[in-house]
Structure formats: structure tokens, C-alpha cells
Amino acid sequence: MSSDQPAPLVEPADLVAAAVLAVPGVRALHGGASGEIGTYLPGRRVAGVRLGADRCSAHVVLDWDADVRQTAEAVRAAVRAVPQAVPEGAAVDVIVEDVVAPAGPRSR
């Protein structure tokens, strides 16, 4: 079975997004109050990830019970493990945009 659709390109921003979302305690990437935070690619954008020549930023939503400092360090380590996206020595900023309660029934 063949497809006429080309395989999707995996961009460095996609790799960073996947690495960040794999960190325990990270619920989502956050695109900013007006959706302004992201990496713009042809025909799409990767919300919550900004890549630059000497700096990368990941804007995240954390689970309520996640330790903020430990989770931010884990996100930094995960991002630095993507050498195609983050040059050696580049700064990795982790911005916690929101914290969300666990899914499930609410107690009153």
C-alpha cells in the first residue's frame, strides 16, 4: 500500500516539543496568552517552543503536584539532549505558564 502523501518532516522544534512533553509533570506546551509563543514553520507552528541561535525556550503547563524546580531542570536536560535543536552552550529557558489540577472528580 503506497501513499501519495510525503512523510512529514521532523523539524528540530518538533523534537524539542516531544522531548518536553515526555518529561513527567509536564501536561502541555503553552503558546502564550495570545498564541505568540512558538516556532513558525511552513504551513504550521509548534506552540510553546522558541529556538534561536544561542537560546531555546520551552513554555510549559505543569501538573499541580509537580515539583517546579525539579521539573524545570528535567525539561532543560531533555531539551539539551536534542543536539539538532540546541547548540552546545546555548541557554535553555523554561517558563512555567500555568499549573493545572489533576484530571478526575473534584472534591468539595
Side-chain angles (χ1 to χ4, degrees):
M1 177 158 114
S2 72
S3 170
D4 293 335
Q5 297 288 334
L9 294 176
V10 177
E11 297 283 342
D14 295 318
L15 297 173
V16 169
V20 170
L21 290 170
V23 173
V26 174
R27 179 74 64 93
L29 288 162
H30 194 285
S34 301
E36 72 279 8
I37 307 297
T39 298
Y40 295 87
L41 301 169
R44 67 188 181 95
R45 71 192 258 296
V46 179
V49 174
R50 274 202 180 143
L51 300 178
D54 62 348
R55 169 169 247 104
C56 171
S57 64
H59 295 250
V60 296
V61 177
L62 299 184
D63 288 325
W64 180 261
D65 57 354
D67 181 287
V68 174
R69 288 181 187 196
Q70 288 178 352
T71 305
E73 268 312 309
V75 168
R76 265 188 212 92
V79 170
R80 285 191 177 114
V82 182
Q84 310 89 308
V86 183
E88 188 173 335
V92 177
D93 300 319
V94 179
I95 298 87
V96 177
E97 297 280 359
D98 202 358
V99 178
V100 294
R106 293 181 167 207
S107 59
R108 291 187 181 229

